[in-house]
Amino acid sequence: MKTFVLGGGCFWCLDAVYQKTRGVSSVVSGYTGGHLPDPDYYEVCSGTTGHAEVVAVTFDEASVPEEVILDMFFALHDPTTLNRQGYDVGTQYRSSMFYTTTEEKILFEEAIERAQALWSNPIVTEVTRLGHFYDAEDIHQNYYAKFPNQGYCQVIINPKLAKARKYYSAWLIA
C-alpha cells in the first residue's frame, strides 16, 4: 500500500473521486504544510495557518498504478491557478503535493511534466516534503457520500465526478 498526500483546492472534491477509485482503500481529509499545530477547519479556512486542505489517498499499487492516481489529481483541479480553485481563494486551496521520499518527489515532478502538456498556462503546483498531517474533523471525512444533495456537492463536485467518469471510467467503481 502507498499513500499520497495531495491538495487540489477543497478536500471534499478530491475525496469524492478517490473514494470511488478502484484500489483505493482509504481517503482521509486533512491539513498540512503550515505552522499552526492541530488546526481546525475554521482556522485553516482563515488562511492564516499556512496549511492546505489535502487528502491522504492510500491505494494498492497492484490494483491502480501510481500514475493513474497522480494523473487523476491533475484532471480534477486547475493546477495553473495560484492559491485558487474556482470560488475558493487562499493559500489553503493551493495546488500541492507532499512527498515523504525522494522517489515520491520524483514521481510528483514527473506527473507535473505529464500534466503540463494538457495545460496552456504553467502549472504552479507546490511539491513539498510532508510535515505533520492533521486529520480534518469527522464532518469532512467522506463528505460527498454524507451530503450528496448539498449545494456545493451539486454545483462543484458533481461536474468533477462526471469528468473523472469521462476520462477514468476504467478505474472507477460504479
Side-chain angles (χ1 to χ4, degrees):
M1 299 299 266
K2 183 165 235 166
T3 301
F4 288 156
V5 177
L6 308 168
C10 178
F11 44 34
W12 298 340
C13 295
L14 295 178
D15 174 81
V17 174
Y18 286 126
Q19 290 283 359
K20 297 179 179 294
T21 302
R22 295 182 193 285
V24 171
S25 62
S26 169
V27 182
V28 178
S29 293
Y31 318 110
T32 195
H35 57 273
L36 184 69
D38 200 27
D40 66 30
Y41 181 72
Y42 297 103
E43 290 169 328
V44 172
C45 285
S46 76
T48 61
T49 68
H51 289 292
E53 287 190 19
V54 298
V55 291
V57 181
T58 302
F59 60 99
D60 179 357
E61 299 168 82
S63 298
V64 58
E66 298 165 326
E67 292 80 9
V68 170
I69 297 294
L70 296 175
D71 292 349
M72 286 176 79
F73 169 69
F74 285 105
L76 296 173
H77 79 292
D78 182 349
T80 69
T81 55
L82 186 63
N83 301 328
R84 178 186 195 113
Q85 289 299 309
Y87 298 112
D88 294 332
V89 179
T91 58
Q92 67 272 28
Y93 302 115
R94 65 189 179 269
S95 178
S96 49
M97 306 170 90
F98 295 88
Y99 64 89
T100 57
T101 66
T102 301
E103 176 191 65
E104 266 186 19
K105 182 181 182 191
I106 292 167
L107 282 171
F108 292 172
E109 290 168 345
E110 290 171 349
I112 290 170
E113 287 178 32
R114 284 194 309 276
Q116 186 59 71
L118 306 173
W119 295 93
S120 57
N121 292 324
I123 289 179
V124 296
T125 302
E126 167 187 295
V127 177
T128 308
R129 180 168 291 283
L130 179 65
H132 193 86
F133 178 91
Y134 300 96
D135 288 7
E137 298 80 357
D138 287 343
I139 189 77
H140 301 294
Q141 306 301 332
N142 207 7
Y143 188 86
Y144 181 82
K146 293 176 190 172
F147 307 105
N149 297 317
Q150 193 256 11
Y152 189 92
C153 295
Q154 292 292 309
V155 174
I156 305 297
I157 298 176
N158 278 346
K160 291 181 186 234
L161 282 167
K163 186 175 183 182
R165 283 186 203 103
K166 180 178 179 180
Y167 295 107
Y168 294 96
S169 61
W171 299 105
L172 299 177
I173 301 164

